[in-house]
Amino acid sequence: MEITGSTVILQPGIYILRHPTGNKAALSIARAPGTPATQGRMELLSTAGTHGSVLRDGADCIVLHISDAPVTLLVSAFLENKNAPVPALRVDQIALERGSVPPPMRAPADAAPSAPAHAAPIAIGAQGISLIGHIERHGDVMAPPGALLGDPDSLLRLEGFQVMWPDRPHGVDLAYSIALEGGGVLPMVKSGKFCGTRNEARRIIEVSFALIGPAASQWRLEGTAHFSGGYQVPVQAAVPLSGPSGLEHLTAIALHAQRSDTGASERNPWLESATTKVFKATAAQAEREQSANRDEEFAS
């Protein structure tokens, strides 16, 4: 899957955001970090199929109310391949009587991710690990390879994330899982899949990463996980990472995969079955006990 994105600035007003017809690529709508001058208030009402931020076809719609100041939106298109056509987000402003809202936006009616009106395209690099995450009050944001996803100095929750590894080597993948406060551990997912929640105000209190696959021993995973209170934890393979009390929430992460010089990675318990180990040990012990009992009975 290819992801291409762009930003577009909307002036205060009321807008209808719709998916163009005749294109299968989904569009994700989120607030981009922007500048202090584009941090207006944003309220939205969406159809059920959008889950608050994703437009998949002509049946999806988002009504967006922007007030106080302009807002920078990040529009991401999820393409089947790099040659697929990029859909153009339909942006229609609701016309109201003069004085009801500030002057209308100067952007064109259709803002295509490949050629937006007020910003250069934002795209995931072809190399390295990029991160896409949902941050409290900011929506979906992207961190390029080597950059932090989130702000360790803030208390804003990193509520979910997705690892993108476009040049992932054959035979290795990155698996990850999280634990939610009051919700337990979510199922493990692999690169390209979203893990977490959006717009639910859920706190991630634990996160785990591991390299898996037949070639995983040739690579080493590095990075940090940041939790509220200023706690920073280095990434270790398949080791649950959390704050000291286990109640601190995740605020930022950084990941990097590097080829291992030793040719042997850390032990990865995600690839081992503890249940099988215990069963085998128990069975062997039981067999020894039964053998000892037979010897005692024979001796008597």
Side-chain angles (χ1 to χ4, degrees), residues 117-191:
H118 291 285
I122 297 176
I124 292 177
Q127 297 180 333
I129 292 177
S130 298
L131 299 170
I132 301 174
H134 188 84
I135 298 177
E136 173 190 3
R137 300 210 311 249
H138 288 282
D140 290 346
V141 299
M142 187 193 73
L148 270 172
L149 174 65
D151 183 2
D153 297 327
S154 76
L155 291 177
L156 297 179
R157 298 181 300 270
L158 175 55
E159 299 176 344
F161 59 90
Q162 177 178 347
V163 176
M164 305 300 296
W165 194 357
D167 61 338
R168 176 173 59 86
H170 178 72
V172 65
D173 203 346
L174 178 58
Y176 42 102
S177 178
I178 64 171
L180 296 173
E181 182 181 28
V185 179
L186 297 188
M188 178 190 73
V189 299
K190 299 178 183 179
S191 60

Side-chain angles (χ1 to χ4, degrees), residues 175-241:
Y176 42 102
S177 178
I178 64 171
L180 296 173
E181 182 181 28
V185 179
L186 297 188
M188 178 190 73
V189 299
K190 299 178 183 179
S191 60
K193 301 293 184 181
F194 181 80
C195 185
T197 62
R198 287 186 173 95
N199 302 317
E200 295 183 14
R202 305 290 297 275
R203 292 156 47 95
I204 296 177
I205 57 174
E206 182 182 285
V207 61
S208 301
F209 301 96
L211 293 172
I212 61 175
S217 62
Q218 302 174 18
W219 293 81
R220 183 175 69 254
L221 189 64
E222 300 174 345
T224 54
H226 298 261
F227 293 87
S228 56
Y231 297 103
Q232 177 177 331
V233 185
V235 171
Q236 300 182 56
V239 175
L241 311 175

